[in-house]
Amino acid sequence: MNREFRDIVNIGPHCHERFIDSTNTPEIKALDIELAGCSNLSGTYQVARVTPPNHTIFYTLSGEGCVFTPQDKLALPKHSLVLLPADQSFEVRITAEHWDIIWLNLTNSPRWQHLRTPSAQLKSNVDLASVHHAMELLYLESDGHRREGVIPIIQHHLRSVVSQEANVQQARIDVLFSEVEKQLQFDWTVDIMAQRAHYSAPHLHRLCLEKYGRSPIQQVIHLRMIRAKNLLENTQWPVAHIAHYVGYTSVFTFSKRFKKSVGVSPTDYRLSTINSNDMQNTKVG
């Protein structure tokens, strides 16, 4: 869809909006929400952004609007929601006599990494009435302690909205590293793992950081060290044999990596395990 985007804020006199920001409602920072609002729109309403830094959600309570993206034009009737990823241009307009909505700007942070999709996501038959009421309370309530009680409601429903996509992506990550664990001797690279998971290398990196707190290669190393410790504890295999089994052709490289990860050499780790077991057996005896 060929469309030139530019920043536009064209809001007519019959539009009423209640803004929730981190100044009047600092509690929203806990959810990485930068700005949000409840809007009752009629007449003129046209807002467009060029490569916005944040993810944006528009949810229709009643009436209808539409959103233009570089890929498509999406209608937003009652109970529909659009998830607009950061850094992708968009434009929204009212297309009926009125359009009542809630909207949220979510920071482009690890919490919302799974919203970094190639295009906008449109969801139908979504019920966010609870989020609407919670946001109205945030706007009206002056007491910070009472506002804090509303935050978990918004958190729960926002997670439910995006969980389907997140679960699909995380399931693919689980499958990928299940394969890795079964073939630790394989020479895993980021490109090979990304190809297996059907993701770009940067997207795979983001998902791994979100799920494990480690990069894809760091997660492979983590799994290799877990297996190596298990083999050192429960077998008499030579260290060289274990090194090859978990994907290291060089015993020196394996030993250096093991010490960096565990804090001691493979040989010292095995000895400490044997000594620990001997002490346990002595106590039992």
Side-chain angles (χ1 to χ4, degrees), residues 36-91:
C38 306
S39 303
N40 303 107
L41 310 171
S42 61
T44 301
Y45 183 81
Q46 180 186 19
V47 174
R49 297 294 309 277
V50 176
T51 58
N54 299 322
H55 310 295
T56 305
I57 294 177
F58 287 95
Y59 173 72
T60 300
L61 298 161
S62 63
E64 186 168 330
C66 73
V67 58
F68 296 90
T69 72
Q71 296 84 15
D72 211 346
K73 174 185 177 182
L74 306 170
L76 293 174
K78 183 177 179 179
H79 293 166
S80 64
L81 171 146
V82 66
L83 302 170
L84 299 164
D87 299 322
Q88 295 191 35
S89 303
F90 69 84
E91 179 182 327

Side-chain angles (χ1 to χ4, degrees), residues 23-190:
T23 301
N24 58 34
T25 313
E27 294 77 15
I28 65 174
K29 292 181 180 179
L31 299 183
D32 290 343
I33 298 173
E34 183 171 287
L35 185 66
C38 306
S39 303
N40 303 107
L41 310 171
S42 61
T44 301
Y45 183 81
Q46 180 186 19
V47 174
R49 297 294 309 277
V50 176
T51 58
N54 299 322
H55 310 295
T56 305
I57 294 177
F58 287 95
Y59 173 72
T60 300
L61 298 161
S62 63
E64 186 168 330
C66 73
V67 58
F68 296 90
T69 72
Q71 296 84 15
D72 211 346
K73 174 185 177 182
L74 306 170
L76 293 174
K78 183 177 179 179
H79 293 166
S80 64
L81 171 146
V82 66
L83 302 170
L84 299 164
D87 299 322
Q88 295 191 35
S89 303
F90 69 84
E91 179 182 327
V92 291
R93 295 181 184 179
I94 184 172
T95 55
E97 290 186 4
H98 75 283
W99 191 26
D100 297 329
I101 62 173
I102 57 174
W103 52 271
L104 304 100
N105 287 343
L106 308 177
T107 60
N108 192 2
S109 64
R111 179 192 296 272
W112 304 114
Q113 282 186 6
H114 44 274
L115 295 181
R116 297 174 186 167
T117 54
S119 60
Q121 301 175 61
L122 181 65
K123 297 177 181 286
S124 303
N125 301 315
V126 178
D127 184 4
L128 288 186
S130 296
V131 174
H132 173 220
H133 296 316
M135 288 173 60
E136 295 282 10
L137 283 171
L138 283 180
Y139 178 78
L140 294 170
E141 183 54 64
S142 59
D143 185 88
H145 292 295
R146 286 193 284 269
R147 288 198 303 265
E148 286 179 358
V150 174
I151 294 299
I153 297 173
I154 298 175
Q155 180 180 26
H156 170 76
H157 288 283
L158 282 183
R159 281 180 174 175
S160 70
V161 164
V162 300
S163 63
Q164 183 177 5
E165 177 64 21
N167 288 341
V168 169
Q169 296 198 50
Q170 294 300 348
R172 284 161 67 178
I173 295 298
D174 289 340
V175 169
L176 169 64
F177 283 101
S178 177
E179 289 184 27
V180 171
E181 193 170 18
K182 293 172 184 175
Q183 292 182 289
L184 291 173
Q185 77 283 2
F186 187 76
D187 184 18
W188 293 101
T189 65
V190 173

